[in-house]
Amino acid sequence: MTEITTPIRAGGASTGWLGRLEGKLSWILLGLAGLALPLLDDSYMGTIATRAYIYWVLSAGLNLVVGYAGQIAIGWVSMLTLGAYTTAALAAGRVGPEWPVYLALLAGGGVGAVFGVVVGLPALRLRTFYFAMTTLGFATIATQVALAWKDVTGGGVGTPGPVFPWPFDPGWGFYYFCFLLAAVATWITANIGSSRYGRALVAIRDAEVAAEASGIAKPRLLVLIFLLAGALGGIAGGLFASLQSYITPDAFTFEMSVLFFIGILIGGRGSILGPALGTLILTVLPEIAAPLVQWSTFLYAALLLLIVLVIPGGIADLLDYRNRRPLEQHREIVPRPDLLPRVLGDQNARTLIALKGIRLHFGGVKAIDGLDLEIHGGEVHGLIGPNGSGKTTTLNVVSGYYRPREGSLRVDGSDLPFERPHVRAQWRIARTFQTPRVVGAASVLENVMIGGTVHGHGTFAESMLSLPRHRLDERVLREAAMLALATVGLESLASVRADRLQHSELRFVEIARALVLRPACLMLDEPAAGLSAEEIRRLGGLIKAISRAGTAVLLVEHHADLIFDICDRVTVLNLGKVLAAGTPEEIRSHREVVSAYLGA
Amino acid sequence: MLQSIVSYGLAVGAVYALIGITYNVMYSASRVFSFTAGMLGMLGGVLGALFIQKMGINAVLGFVMVLACGAVLGIVTELLTVRPVLKSIEQHLYVLSTLAFALMIQQVTAIEWGTEAQPFPVLLPIGEGWLDQKFWLPLLACAVTIGGLEFLYRYTLIGRAFLAIAEDNYAARALGLPETWLRIASFALAGMIGTLAGFTGAQMLLAFFGNQSILNFYGFVPVALGGMGSNRGAVIGGLALGLFQQAANFLVGGIFAAVAVFAVFIVVLLLRPEGIAGASTARRV
Amino acid sequence: MIMMRAWRPAVRKTMTHHCSGAAPAQEDAMSSEPLLQVSGLSAGYGKIVVLRDIALSIGAGEAVALLGPNGAGKTTLLRAMSGLLPRSGQVRLGGQEMPNANPRATVAAGMAHVVEGHRVFTQLTCHDNLLLAGYGVPGAVRARQVDEALAFFPEIAAKRNDKAVTLSGGQQQMLAVAQGLVGKPRLLMLDEPSAGLSPVLVDRVLAAITQLRASGTAVLLVEQLIEKALAVVDRVYALARGSIVLEARADEADLPNRLERAYFGEGAHAPLDA
């Protein structure tokens, strides 16, 4: 027990330079500065700061969409437009009776939330550019509608913004109101960012298929995020309308979207403090350097181009000193299979995955042609065969990517639905990929924690407010992930960014991620590819030990020696059919197999 | 009224179609969707007004100069915003790089040309009323472009090379086709088509920096609905979009037209992300 | 670019030699090294190293098969050689260093690569497909070279004005091989030309190799069907786990057994030999 508790603490940090700054101190300083600003009694500065807070309320939500989920929502200014006009129109009584201003602001947030989902929905189906274009189109149309719908918006003439009554009346009262809301937005989004939901968003961004395999349901998660980001955008709009005191469609230019967007990109993806500082700086900068005002959008765009071309990771990457410190050169992966019983727990039930009569066609090609296969708990089952024989396709059928024309897939007697990859984790079926699919920008530990997403109990709202159940989830998951890392022999790299690891280490990270799920069935897709002979030997030992702990292991592999070394059963596929099945010894001396493998 | 709906709708539709083709030509050569399509359309009008109206250059020479500027901008787009991010195309950084470049050009235009819409000179005083040249000129440009592209693709080796690269970039490279040069040529061609759209449509749309985002979106709608890379889809979709917009404008007002276009765009794409006529996507695993 | 201009004429000259049926041996007078000389070649995808320190050579007019279990890196090797994939190490053709990651220059230098999976341009006619394959050939002789390439495959010649999409898989493969021939390469690399073809068509495609060899073109053939491959080549290399594990003459008696041992690893269980 003791030898594991130490590394668990060692790997506790989150990513990067900004990550460490995010440890409270900088926030406290920012907060104190914000609280103390009115002491200067400079109303011009107060207005600028208020504007920055308002922008940040929107950007905080947008940051989850852009920085975490990686969705290029370039037209988010439309949420500001909607929130502003909703609040202004309701408060001014342009639609029905006059609403109380605070209630109107809430309504602005509500409208923002609804349209956040409407605009966001296409992200679930569409390719990146299409989605970017949808948000841009929506922003264009929101302005056109604002111009044309004169009854409500006042058209080109505009409409007065709402005035908040005491205690947040114009002046410093309103300043504190915006400050408070900015603080709340920060807290909420930071909680989400560091929760399993935040990690899931990043996983969707950088390793979508692995995220699905870890049980992350992209649609549900994105809808929640768009809801939140839309609501924050709408509320920011209501505040903006009040700050402007008079709003016309001209006030909501597309250039503002660019400001929000670049503030986030400068700050770096997957950070909260960075984008907050980015937004603050971009808002304040043109005010200080007056001649820049005219050229500010040009400069923002130039900055965007520069960041994309030179440092796609944002300024945060540039300042990430800790992750530039060289790693030890000659690292060895020394798995500790003895820890497996603790990682996997009791696998008392003997799992049985049974494929029966599977037929799958791609166009006219028979990829799988009547396949029967049983994978037993406690055994390593090797799957070999020439290219195009259907090995990976079989694995993808079990993983839920394809729907066969015929056949059944059962786990311990109950049917497993086809074409539902994200439910596999609930059935405790884990897998690795031919090319490791990890989140390069996240730490190794965070990557492994993604594998245990389905074990969390806290809801989105609980995570948002950092309630006890959320905190318990985090602690349990972190410990499980450290234990899994120790098992594969990588605990010393827990806090390192995953993209700094060698290829062979990434293979073991994927196995650790799979182990956190406590899988009843583990499918490995060519885990030995690209590994040295010594690494393959250790991998073999680890795989065998995993199976002996009770997990059913399906191993697709080209390295014949590894297959014959560790498998309990081997199935040979050829042209989508089983050519032979049996013990390694039987297969090794099977004439037809040898010739199929060598080419007939 | 019907006449003006049809003539104006078709003319605007032809501009949308040409912007759609601009998207297509760039996409076919690089698999990149570029936000510079709308920018080119906007500049076609602004530069045309600048050269012909402001600087008093002869209309034909001015027209050629506009196209030349479009070609140069196309090449700059390729060099500056596409090539550097092409290696990691799956990260979609081109969305941001082309957007940034388009915005920079738009801002320079806004500052140097002004944010007011300015009139575009009458080039050929032929036709009047609903037969005015400002209505048939975009249609003519669209027809010429389609005919020219058809000739290029059918009867020239370089045109076939464009098709080959669009269909299978890898096989084309293996054959030793000069992929980089063909991509540059495509972007130059797209630059000319985009500015042609803006130039011929500018009497209707005026020389206005704000046309950029409008053309970006309405030029993309027909392409997205007709399937990326299909010029036929872009033309049919563009003309239909123009007609629909004008009809809705006249009959039920601008709010409805804008909202309806957006709604159709979203709904169709949600039901068929690859477009009405497009092919379905490849496997991911 | 400058480099290309410098050696292109030399290449053309040698190729005309071939066309006129000159003995392959004449070429070796220029340099003592074989037509193709690969040394110290490593390549991979991103962080994954697939090939380590590959060395092989092919003589002028020689047909060589590259064998190996799947996943061994055969396709990767062809890609690295033809410049479709960046590599480290040397590839020399006729004494000239081939530029890294520049397929265009590599094709122009006389090394053609027919990629896996008969990837012809389906929306173009067969004739256009072949014209494109001769993109770097001077316009004056392009049509003639297309005709000469078509002479290898009469059934494609009969369909020259049909779109490639109308061809069967086997015909598409023949078209792809014909594409490789248009530039009159000194070395033709074929990646699994038999994949997905019926046995009769496989024979038709592989028969072309014999013809080519007779005309002095060297061939590097990646093939799964070992027996068919052995029938048309002079020599074989076997690739396993990213390295060359065997080099042998095609007519060696014990070849299948040696291959098997090379694939499965010498130290692995060997009940077959017991």
Side-chain angles (χ1 to χ4, degrees), chain B residues 38-276:
Chain B
M39 169 198 91
L40 292 164
M42 180 273 289
L43 278 182
V46 169
L47 289 178
L50 174 70
F51 293 152
I52 299 169
Q53 187 104 325
K54 285 254 160 90
M55 296 167 68
I57 296 172
N58 164 290
V60 175
L61 183 61
F63 174 65
V64 172
M65 282 168 66
V66 168
L67 292 192
C69 287
V72 170
L73 275 167
I75 292 169
V76 174
T77 304
E78 199 280 333
L79 292 176
L80 187 67
T81 70
V82 174
R83 192 177 302 181
V85 295
L86 213 52
K87 232 179 272 162
S88 48
I89 194 163
E90 70 287 347
Q91 289 182 25
H92 305 286
L93 288 175
Y94 60 83
V95 176
L96 299 178
S97 60
T98 58
L99 175 70
F101 181 62
L103 274 173
M104 286 163 68
I105 299 289
Q106 189 189 24
Q107 282 306 306
V108 172
T109 313
I111 291 166
E112 300 297 330
W113 176 254
T115 52
E116 294 296 314
Q118 300 192 30
F120 192 84
V122 176
L123 302 172
L124 307 160
I126 303 171
E128 56 183 69
W130 61 279
L131 285 176
D132 192 281
Q133 51 125 358
K134 71 179 172 189
F135 295 133
W136 57 256
L137 211 51
L139 282 168
L140 178 69
C142 190
V144 168
T145 304
I146 289 289
L149 286 177
E150 197 64 15
F151 175 81
L152 184 74
Y153 291 148
R154 253 192 217 175
Y155 299 105
T156 69
L157 191 62
I158 191 170
R160 294 186 190 110
F162 282 142
L163 292 179
I165 282 217
E167 183 180 332
D168 190 341
N169 184 288
Y170 175 74
R173 287 201 309 138
L175 279 191
L177 293 182
E179 186 214 13
T180 310
W181 288 109
L182 288 170
R183 199 170 57 236
I184 288 191
S186 292
F187 273 75
L189 182 64
M192 292 198 281
I193 297 173
T195 44
L196 176 69
F199 187 89
T200 52
Q203 274 190 72
M204 281 180 308
L205 304 172
L206 303 177
F208 177 43
F209 87 111
N211 283 344
Q212 172 159 329
S213 50
I214 292 171
L215 288 179
N216 251 342
F217 181 62
Y218 290 123
F220 186 70
V221 171
V223 173
L225 300 187
M228 204 67 207
S230 155
N231 287 339
R232 191 183 306 163
V235 172
I236 296 172
L239 295 178
L241 176 63
L243 282 176
F244 174 80
Q245 241 185 356
Q246 285 320 307
N249 260 337
F250 271 91
L251 301 175
V252 284
I255 310 175
F256 176 79
V259 173
V261 169
F262 188 71
V264 169
F265 175 67
I266 294 242
V267 169
V268 170
L269 283 188
L270 284 181
L271 295 179
R272 282 190 65 93
E274 64 280 4
I276 294 169

Side-chain angles (χ1 to χ4, degrees), chain C residues 67-112:
Chain C
L67 308 172
N70 46 67
K74 302 182 295 286
T75 295
T76 307
L77 178 54
L78 293 200
R79 288 182 186 177
M81 284 165 63
S82 66
L84 286 168
L85 189 74
R87 60 166 186 257
S88 61
Q90 270 199 332
V91 175
R92 295 167 70 82
L93 186 75
Q96 302 284 345
E97 171 84 29
M98 292 290 106
N100 187 7
N102 187 345
R104 191 183 170 199
T106 310
V107 169
M111 214 161 125

Side-chain angles (χ1 to χ4, degrees), chain A residues 49-50 53-54 57 168 173-183 239:
Chain A
T50 309
Y53 298 151
I54 293 173
V57 171
F168 299 122
F174 185 63
Y175 169 88
Y176 277 121
F177 188 40
C178 295
F179 175 75
L180 185 73
L181 288 176
L239 298 174

Side-chain angles (χ1 to χ4, degrees), chain A residues 386-387 499 501 558 560 598-599, chain C residues 47-48 70 224 226 263-264 269:
Chain A
N387 273 341
D499 55 9
L501 265 55
H558 284 315
L598 297 178
Chain C
K47 285 184 176 178
I48 311 174
N70 46 67
Q224 289 276 338
I226 295 188
Y263 289 0
F264 290 136
H269 316 245

Side-chain angles (χ1 to χ4, degrees), chain A residues 385-387 499-501 503 530 558-561 564-565 588 591 594 597-600, chain C residues 47-49 52 69-71 224-227 241 256 260 263-264 268-272:
Chain A
N387 273 341
D499 55 9
R500 304 185 64 204
L501 265 55
H503 168 74
H558 284 315
H559 283 75
D561 28 4
F564 293 131
D565 230 19
R588 183 68 181 80
R591 202 60 248 181
V594 173
Y597 212 70
L598 297 178
Chain C
K47 285 184 176 178
I48 311 174
V49 182
R52 290 189 181 86
N70 46 67
Q224 289 276 338
L225 305 179
I226 295 188
E227 280 159 30
R241 297 173 293 275
E260 193 183 327
Y263 289 0
F264 290 136
H269 316 245
L272 272 176

Side-chain angles (χ1 to χ4, degrees), chain C residues 20-80:
Chain C
S20 54
Q26 271 186 358
E27 182 176 270
D28 291 333
M30 294 198 315
S31 61
S32 56
E33 70 176 64
L35 174 70
L36 177 82
Q37 179 87 54
V38 175
S39 55
L41 183 146
S42 300
Y45 302 92
K47 285 184 176 178
I48 311 174
V49 182
V50 178
L51 299 172
R52 290 189 181 86
D53 199 22
I54 301 284
L56 58 85
S57 62
I58 299 176
E62 188 184 26
V64 173
L66 181 62
L67 308 172
N70 46 67
K74 302 182 295 286
T75 295
T76 307
L77 178 54
L78 293 200
R79 288 182 186 177

